[in-house]
Amino acid sequence: MTTQQRPSFEKIYLALARMLSERSTCARLKVGTVITSTDYRKVLAVGYNGNATGLPNQCDRADVGNCGCLHSEENAVINCDSPRQVEKIVFITHLPCVQCAKRLINLGNVKKIFYCEDYRIRDSLDLLKSVGIEVEQFE
């Protein structure tokens, strides 16, 4: 009998985040986010970056860092109706910016963040670690 190599949950949820990022309408950077329970049995929310619901599916401006799109993490936090006391793991295609790191902190009980690609500004790493959220780059 052959032993099957099963993908890890981390690999599966980061692949889902990458797939979600393909829905992004941002012209500069496509980002996807998945929030799960710590036992990986439940997807609590998903998000990708783009304009607000009902607005044109395009960036408002061409300015880097100011295109007007809602960030992927921001949309996932908005979509997450899980109570603060529920422990969470977050999977993101890119390291979050400082503002999204703060949103994830306020979501409550985020235990760990996995991400694939670095963001141009890495200040969120120290911020997240300062409140006890583990951060791991996963390839």
Side-chain angles (χ1 to χ4, degrees), residues 10-19 21 30-33 73 90-96 113-119 122 135-139:
E10 293 85 358
K11 189 171 186 172
I12 289 168
Y13 287 128
L14 283 168
L16 178 55
R18 284 188 199 102
M19 295 266 314
S21 74
K30 297 184 181 310
V31 181
T33 300
E73 305 91 329
V90 181
F91 300 87
I92 315 169
T93 55
H94 294 74
L95 179 69
I113 295 173
F114 289 97
Y115 72 98
C116 299
E117 304 291 327
D118 266 327
Y119 182 61
R122 303 186 79 231
V135 182
E136 182 179 330
Q137 188 169 14
F138 192 93
E139 300 193 26

Side-chain angles (χ1 to χ4, degrees), residues 119-138:
Y119 182 61
R120 61 190 167 88
I121 302 168
R122 303 186 79 231
D123 297 347
S124 63
L125 282 171
D126 289 335
L127 177 65
L128 290 162
K129 289 176 184 175
S130 76
V131 295
I133 297 175
E134 289 182 60
V135 182
E136 182 179 330
Q137 188 169 14
F138 192 93

Side-chain angles (χ1 to χ4, degrees), residues 38-56:
T38 54
D39 64 3
Y40 301 114
R41 292 179 184 215
K42 293 182 181 180
V43 172
L44 303 175
V46 299
Y48 51 88
N49 56 331
N51 217 336
T53 302
L55 296 179

Side-chain angles (χ1 to χ4, degrees), residues 27-84:
R28 187 181 70 80
L29 184 65
K30 297 184 181 310
V31 181
T33 300
V34 178
I35 302 173
T36 72
S37 59
T38 54
D39 64 3
Y40 301 114
R41 292 179 184 215
K42 293 182 181 180
V43 172
L44 303 175
V46 299
Y48 51 88
N49 56 331
N51 217 336
T53 302
L55 296 179
N57 284 325
Q58 61 191 31
C59 297
D60 295 337
R61 297 172 292 283
D63 305 339
V64 172
N66 193 27
C67 71
C69 287
L70 293 167
H71 288 197
S72 151
E73 305 91 329
E74 188 171 24
N75 276 322
V77 167
I78 290 167
N79 292 330
C80 189
D81 59 4
S82 203
R84 290 180 60 83

